[in-house]
Amino acid sequence: YLWLPFVPRLVRYFSIRRQRERCIAAVNREADKWRYNITFDSLNTTASDQRSAEKYFLSNRLAYQYDDNNFSFAYASYDDDRFSGFDYQATFAAGWGRRLLNNEIMKWDVEVGPGYRISKVDDGATVEDSDEVIIRGFTQYSWDFSETANFSQSLNVEAGADNTISKSITALKVQIIGALAMKLSYTIKYTDDVPAATKHADTETAVTVVYSF
């Protein structure tokens, strides 16, 4: 089947002089023993006519299901955060995964494997570009605690000798009517080694409208 939630644009006004625009698109497809996931996420924030945040994230994941509980995967991502001190960060990983829970209301997946990360810093940064071997660990839990509401939690950790990057997403999605739903999420990304004058933790709270078809 094909599940395609798409949020073409989200604008939230915190004040007269601050505007935030968000675009999210995701495709999740399952066919026979294959699972395919692609995600695009962009965020732009303007305050007092000055750009204060600009992020673009793209990930692609392919998994092959050996049986009901075990699978292998290949994963690639590209992260371009214009205010992080990095020009871009690209990750490639592959490995093994297992579904620990699989029933009508709960699903819980874990996966781990080796990978490679390329980190390109902005011009004039106090740290150097780095290419390193990493270990990637990922877990995702989903709970349909009612017919119209879902809670999900994911954690992605990419650990290398030079840097470790962790990203957690906690979300609550409630169906409004038909294919329309409201989603409240909290995201925190933590980077151990960052360029000077850059925060280690980047947090975000978002309210989005999701349409699935």
Side-chain angles (χ1 to χ4, degrees):
Y1 66 88
L2 179 65
W3 176 62
L4 177 63
F6 179 59
V7 182
R9 189 177 184 187
L10 171 67
V11 181
R12 292 184 295 158
Y13 291 93
F14 293 94
S15 68
I16 297 177
R17 299 174 63 83
R18 181 166 182 172
Q19 176 178 302
R20 171 172 292 191
E21 298 179 359
R22 185 80 179 268
C23 177
I24 304 171
V27 176
N28 300 305
R29 186 172 188 267
E30 293 188 14
D32 296 327
K33 294 185 176 183
W34 293 96
R35 285 189 287 177
Y36 179 75
N37 313 95
I38 184 168
T39 301
F40 172 76
D41 188 355
S42 71
L43 174 66
N44 288 273
T45 302
T46 302
S48 301
D49 298 325
Q50 297 291 325
R51 184 65 56 86
S52 58
E54 185 176 359
K55 306 177 186 179
Y56 304 95
F57 177 79
L58 177 66
S59 69
N60 192 354
R61 176 181 173 275
L62 180 66
Y64 179 79
Q65 197 86 17
Y66 293 106
D67 53 40
D68 290 341
N69 297 318
N70 297 285
F71 60 90
S72 59
F73 75 92
Y75 173 85
S77 68
Y78 180 85
D79 194 351
D80 180 0
D81 185 345
R82 306 292 172 86
F83 290 80
S84 67
F86 291 96
D87 185 14
Y88 69 86
Q89 293 175 300
T91 299
F92 310 91
W96 173 84
R98 182 172 176 81
R99 177 154 286 182
L100 301 179
L101 281 177
N102 188 14
N103 55 51
E104 292 183 356
I105 62 172
M106 292 186 186
K107 289 179 173 57
W108 182 17
D109 289 347
V110 296
E111 55 189 51
V112 64
Y116 196 77
R117 181 173 61 223
I118 302 169
S119 298
K120 172 71 173 177
V121 298
D122 290 336
D123 294 338
T126 57
V127 297
E128 298 181 350
D129 299 342
S130 68
D131 297 354
E132 61 176 330
V133 175
I134 62 168
I135 294 294
R136 176 182 177 266
F138 175 78
T139 182
Q140 183 165 359
Y141 172 77
S142 177
W143 175 28
D144 295 326
F145 59 89
S146 78
E147 294 184 355
T148 59
N150 170 269
F151 169 82
S152 63
Q153 172 67 54
S154 67
L155 176 64
N156 186 81
V157 179
E158 300 171 2
D162 296 332
N163 207 351
T164 296
I165 300 173
S166 305
K167 186 176 182 179
S168 169
I169 303 176
T170 305
L172 177 66
K173 186 171 71 173
V174 179
Q175 181 182 3
I176 301 173
I177 183 171
L180 196 64
M182 182 73 71
K183 185 175 181 180
L184 173 65
S185 63
Y186 177 75
T187 302
I188 179 168
K189 179 182 177 183
Y190 189 89
T191 305
D192 280 352
D193 188 20
V194 296
T198 306
K199 298 185 296 182
H200 290 276
D202 183 17
T203 63
E204 176 191 337
T205 302
V207 179
T208 57
V209 177
V210 179
Y211 181 75
S212 303
F213 60 91

